């Protein structure tokens, strides 16, 4: 017999039918009465002083209801991490795409037309696009910060010199992780509506509905309670959809006009002014003893923030030290520098810095294992953290399925046989990763999550949470957890959309935290509701609540499923006895996590840590440099998979995204201008580019997870680029260190290798 | 020093600014994406068999998306009280305005045009319009019920024969209360949207959002949970806006088209197919001893239900026995008959039957006092129920301000002086009334009300309730009660709109129950939230929760308002400590009321009983019959007035509506056709028709009321027609027994009087 009835079983997404039939209204489908359409005039220059803006013709244009420049905004510096944002550019523009002015009009054509009537006089300034250049003496200063440095990260542990001396092998290299775009289906969009009381309601797809209000309220000069965020279904995010000026421009246009204002980025705007991945230069040196025991690791990371800071410095910090809790290290020396550049502001993308560093580390480990003459899988197995261990940074590994992931992945991939010497350009490569489920360091005020469960007369269960379903299936997972806890079928549960006027204050969907945090929050809420229901049932059945359990849609005597009352009947009676007031369970979950020490970074930052091992198999056409993905195995420690089919879907999506990054995706620029800002020129992997992907779910029960679950969002992508790089090395003997591995780069590497060998 | 900080103080309506600036979107302002417009084809005949409906041309018309007849509906009989409704007429039409077919089209013009293309072949049947005629042998049967009788009410208490024998004076008369229209500003309207899962969301102004789902779900053949009712702001109701076929027709049109369907009655439709007041014939006989002690009362009421039953029989029952708990009676004999007629279905209108009978009783008491040679005020004072008494039907009068109302009203009106013999046609008349606050008999399942209060990080308090603000100011009253309980300023409180997916299951706004029931429900919820907040504060202040109070926006040591922490700070800390979960207080209130015995009607049906005394002063132009209202005093026992200015507003509105009924309002018919279905021909009192109205709030503390409050909605109107009738008798010596007292009737009465006197 199954331990669980709903959890651990695969269910279609509860909002899948509406999405599949086209009935779902995504953010960009919203239409409010009297709604206007906003458009933004963006800078054509990467760095320039704004001398004059003449909006007079635009204001007179047909259908135009408002034209705004910085002068129409509160001009309060703000930002989620550093206060270097303005709603509209005030003195200078700092990247091609920077927001200069905006228009609200009766339709998009009128707004677009009005944009063309705004005249801006610029005085062009020297610009800098590469972070290494930007740090040089004499480089143009973007925000008047010395050397354009936004933030630095330094960390040193153990005796590095000794660690390297004791090493049998030391490998070092420089890696470059390029700028890639999240390529969600729905570009950034919103409808902002400021009511007569001055309260802003922002309908937007945002991963952090509660937290985003804090910088927004500051930017608009409003008290926090005057900013309400409602999250309709939205078409993907992958880290990009946190704060964006688009929302604030819409808010100011609505303030000016008194009407709801819709804004929707064109795909091009979304490329040039979205929040792509932080590109990084990574210098990495790593050593090991003869037996494979890792010794020291030294890294230096230079990351480009772009023209203002979104979360780049936190992403660089994550790159600097997250992998340190994947393996046992004795000494570490880490430096991370985040630098302004005259390019699009960069931010979160699945993996949050850990993806970048995992590429470097796992590539380097492959070389290290070669130096040691050791199987790469063996090297990971030897050093990987196991259940019960505490990492060098104090991370308490409550459960680790890393070993099992490596075992199962290698077995499924035919690792032993396929590593054998090659006759042609076919190879297999392996990479591992760790990650967090939640990150105590991200919000200072608190960690944890709350949920509310309310059950009305009909016995229908409504769940409120403060996270955000960007399409990953969060709602279904929450519904399953609540259904399991209450012993009712899944279709008795509905999950309310997030609305900051109604939902718990939640941190949102990032850091692979949704299932563990939100899941525990709604589980606690369901448990509290169940407690009340069992009390009412005990009164009706004349027994003690402790004799009862909720199971199979019944409240029944423990172990006697037919001896009881239907859940619905108990709830109806309870609601009548309560004067119509529904059963409301407000629950919450507080993990035992720690804010890391500001200097040592020591502190258990997450309640759970997922692990993974992925294996790529490739074949290279050495004439063209074309890489063919032949097979892929992804074994993931997800704790208990609440919804296995959806978890596998996440794995497949992550691998596809990782392969895209490894082989083809790149935001190409010329003098700060992105030259491929569309899906014709920016190539994503299609079905034919992808190999069969075998997902293996490794399910150690995580003690802190709801029903033992961890998260899967980010780990799904983290190891993929390294797995591909290592497979390429295995296939053709060239070590690719700069993403993506385009045919041109592979041909060049093959040519250089040939030259070396000659 | 004031006992209360928010309650008992006058506040503008919290939604007043939005309404005054036109920003409020009423039901008829709603526009949903893809929305269609529905129109109904109504019967032009009062009684006819439907032989054939040809919709083929309409279906082909431009812009038409659906045309429906009864065949497209589930054809399940339903209704709030008796199952004599169909969504669309199936076999017969029964009144002019009956719903025959409906169209949904891209705009209203296309829908209207399509209606004209539907051809219906009728076979006309004999019709009957007057309930007395309808009860006669051989009258056409409307629903195949013997004598067209819907329901009968019989009640007999005490020895009536002896009571009348012991009387010094007995007065009897026949009264007629006519059909009047509620004349709310916004006609009935809705948007119905059936989603791909078959769930109906109905946006509608309804007084009973939770209860109305029950007959609607039945009519549509849906489980209850598939019917969600959302109540946007709406433009008045006065009893009319409970169930209406309009909502169901919209629902079926949305089922057929998959689109939201908006429907809005034209004013004419609202007159001919709304829910006007139940017209009644009332025969009343009443006796008193020489000292004025009332003895027996015998009544017979015949009420017209119209062509189907909304709530008419309950309204007739109310007419039959509610006034019995205004005065002390020794014997009662009551018969009430509700009869089908081929006229618009009749229903609730402020006063709910009690208004009709109060007109009769208070008119008769005036004559009785004349027979006794006793001041009419004296007669009421002698017999009126006082605090602590139990009425003949078991009603426990927890507080009665009747005596004080009479005292204060007579004093303010200059009663003693103005009753003196007349030199010209000017007179003064008095009438009293009682009413209920809530009615245990209305819903069998339960009595009471629930509320939910949730307080997020910002300290903003959100209140959920299940009642309905039809414009009377319910939201403001609830906000005041919660603010008082939590010790925060009123502007910290918001009241959520009713949405049956989110709100407590509530009975709704009727029977003057909102303030007492909903108010107690939200007060209990606020108290529960406060309990949690005090516990958190006690932890922060290192004291016991019992040492603390919530006051002036602070949680402070009792009696030491500066020794404490701001409410907001405590809440923020608590929310962080709860993993973001807001403070949620789910409270409820169950009154100690009783379902009356089915035979004896004995049982305390309400937790509180409001009383009133109104005095009208009139002058009659005896040449034209025109009545000029000179002055008006309305003293109302409202318990504690939560929002005095709004309470006075309710009184003034009720008196205005009562004067309109007394002097001018009448739905005039010719052979079942309403001939004045618009505001040009149906005359409402304007400002110039109204006298100065002095509202006097009498405030005995009601032990069952929230902060001592009772209700005011209905009593404000109940005594007005009798007060005017009694003033007219005092002015010109004619007893007007048929509403309204038009100049023609007054001239005729004066002429008849003159003839009698000659």
């Amino acid at each position: 017999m199954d331990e669980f009835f709903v959890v651990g079983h695969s269910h279609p997404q509860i909002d899948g039918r509406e999405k599949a039939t086209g009935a779902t209204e995504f953010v960009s489908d919203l239409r409010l009465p009297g709604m206007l359409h906003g458009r933004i005039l963006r800078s054509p220059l990467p760095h320039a002083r704004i001398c004059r803006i003449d909006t007079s013709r635009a204001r007179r244009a047909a259908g135009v209801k408002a034209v705004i420049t910085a002068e129409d905004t509160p001009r309060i510096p703000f930002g989620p991490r550093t206060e270097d944002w303005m709603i509209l550019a005030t003195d200078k523009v700092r990247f091609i795409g920077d927001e200069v002015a905006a228009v609200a009009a009766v339709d998009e054509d009128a707004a677009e037309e009005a944009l063309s009537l705004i005249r801006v006089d610029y005085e062009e300034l020297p610009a800098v696009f590469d972070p290494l250049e930007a740090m040089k003496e004499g480089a143009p200063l973007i925000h008047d910060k010395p050397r354009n440095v936004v933030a630095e990260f330094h960390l040193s542990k153990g005796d590095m010199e000794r660690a390297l001396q004791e090493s049998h092998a030391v490998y070092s290299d420089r890696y470059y992780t390029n700028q890639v775009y999240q390529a969600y289906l729905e570009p950034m969009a919103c409808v902002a509506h400021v009511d007569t009381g001055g309260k802003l309601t922002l309908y937007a797809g945002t991963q952090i509905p509660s937290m985003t209000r804090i910088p927004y309220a500051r930017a608009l000069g409003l008290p926090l309670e005057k900013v309400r965020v409602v999250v309709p279904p939205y078409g993907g995010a992958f880290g990009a959809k946190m704060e964006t000026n688009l929302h604030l421009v819409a808010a100011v246009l609505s303030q000016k006009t008194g009407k709801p204002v819709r804004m929707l980025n064109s795909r091009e705007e979304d490329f040039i002014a979205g929040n792509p991945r932080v590109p990084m230069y990574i210098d990495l040196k790593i050593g090991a003893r003869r037996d494979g025991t890792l010794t020291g690791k030294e890294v230096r990371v230079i990351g480009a923030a772009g023209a203002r800071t979104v979360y780049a410095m936190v992403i660089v910090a994550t790159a600097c030290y997250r992998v340190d809790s994947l393996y046992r290290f004795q000494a570490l020396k880490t430096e991370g520098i985040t630098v302004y550049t005259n390019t699009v502001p960069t931010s979160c993308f699945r993996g949050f810095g850990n993806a970048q560093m995992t590429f470097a580390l796992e590539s380097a480990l492959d070389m290290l294992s070669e130096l040691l003459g050791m199987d790469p899988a063996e090297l990971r197995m030897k050093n990987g953290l196991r259940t019960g261990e505490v990492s060098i940074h104090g991370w308490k590994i409550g459960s680790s399925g890393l070993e099992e992931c490596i075992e199962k992945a290698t077995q499924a991939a035919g690792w032993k046989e396929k590593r054998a010497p090659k006759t042609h350009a076919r190879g297999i490569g392996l990479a591992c990763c760790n990650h967090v489920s939640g990150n105590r360091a991200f919000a200072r005020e608190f960690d944890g999550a709350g949920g509310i469960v309310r059950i009305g007369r009909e016995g229908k269960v409504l769940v409120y949470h403060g996270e955000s379903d960007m399409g990953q299936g969060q709602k279904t997972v929450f519904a399953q957890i609540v259904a399991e806890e209450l012993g009712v079928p899944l279709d008795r549960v509905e999950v309310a959309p997030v609305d900051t006027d109604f939902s718990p204050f939640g941190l949102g969907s990032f850091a692979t935290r949704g299932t563990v945090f939100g899941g525990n929050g709604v589980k606690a809420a369901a448990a509290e509701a169940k407690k009340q229901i069992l009390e009412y049932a005990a009164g009706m059945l004349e027994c003690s609540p402790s004799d009862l359990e909720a199971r199979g849609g019944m409240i029944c005597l423990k172990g006697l499923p037919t001896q009881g009352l239907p859940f619905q009947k108990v709830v109806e009676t309870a609601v009548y006895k309560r004067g119509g007031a529904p059963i409301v369970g407000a629950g919450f979950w507080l993990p035992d996590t720690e804010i890391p020490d500001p200097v040592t970074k020591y502190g258990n930052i997450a309640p759970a840590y997922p692990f993974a091992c992925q294996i790529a198999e490739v074949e290279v056409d050495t004439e063209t440099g074309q890489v063919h993905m032949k097979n892929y195995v992804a074994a993931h420690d997800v704790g208990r998979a609440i919804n296995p089919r959806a978890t596998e879907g996440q794995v497949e999506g992550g691998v596809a995204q990782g392969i895209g990054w490894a082989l083809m995706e790149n935001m190409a620029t010329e003098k700060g201008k992105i030259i491929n800002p569309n899906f014709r020129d920016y190539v994503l992997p299609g079905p034919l580019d992808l190999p069969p992907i075998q997902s293996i779910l490794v399910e150690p029960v995580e003690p802190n997870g709801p029903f033992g679950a961890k998260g899967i969002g980010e780990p799904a992508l983290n190891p993929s680029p390294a797995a591909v790089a290592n497979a390429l090395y295995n296939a053709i003997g060239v070590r690719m260190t700069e993403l993506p591995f385009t045919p041109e780069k592979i041909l060049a590497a093959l040519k250089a290798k040939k030259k070396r060998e000659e």
Side-chain angles (χ1 to χ4, degrees), chain A residues 452-517:
Chain A
I452 298 176
V453 162
R454 53 182 295 156
I455 311 170
R457 194 191 123 163
E458 298 81 16
K460 193 92 188 185
V461 180
L462 185 65
V463 182
Y464 294 85
H465 66 91
E467 318 307 332
S468 178
D469 192 335
M470 56 187 111
Q472 80 272 50
Q474 194 79 88
K475 286 172 75 167
T476 305
V477 164
F478 290 168
Q480 286 179 270
I481 288 172
V482 169
E484 187 69 52
E485 184 67 30
L486 291 170
V488 298
L490 186 61
D491 66 5
R492 303 305 299 156
V493 183
E494 275 182 41
V495 180
V498 176
D499 177 334
T500 59
D501 266 13
F502 298 82
S503 306
F505 179 84
L507 292 181
S509 289
F510 59 87
T512 308
R513 67 185 291 287
T515 295
V516 172
F517 280 70

Side-chain angles (χ1 to χ4, degrees), chain A residues 85 129 228 237-238 240 358 367 400 577 699:
Chain A
W85 293 33
F129 311 113
R228 172 186 177 198
F238 304 112
T358 297
M367 298 309 287
S400 166
K577 281 193 182 168
E699 304 186 67

Side-chain angles (χ1 to χ4, degrees), chain A residues 614-632:
Chain A
Q614 294 186 355
I615 296 176
E617 196 180 344
V618 302
E619 193 173 83
V620 182
D621 182 333
T622 53
E623 297 298 312
T624 64
Q626 193 74 42
V627 178
H628 300 286
M629 297 298 308
K630 304 309 288 183
N631 194 34
Y632 210 96

Side-chain angles (χ1 to χ4, degrees), chain A residues 569-623:
Chain A
K569 182 74 203 157
V570 176
V571 167
E572 182 181 284
T573 306
V575 168
Y576 288 157
K577 281 193 182 168
R578 294 157 60 91
I583 308 279
V584 178
F588 56 90
W589 182 72
L590 288 183
D592 187 19
T593 51
E594 298 155 350
I595 295 188
D597 179 274
V599 175
T600 65
K601 301 292 167 197
Y602 196 91
N604 184 40
I605 65 167
Y609 300 97
F611 294 89
C613 174
Q614 294 186 355
I615 296 176
E617 196 180 344
V618 302
E619 193 173 83
V620 182
D621 182 333
T622 53
E623 297 298 312

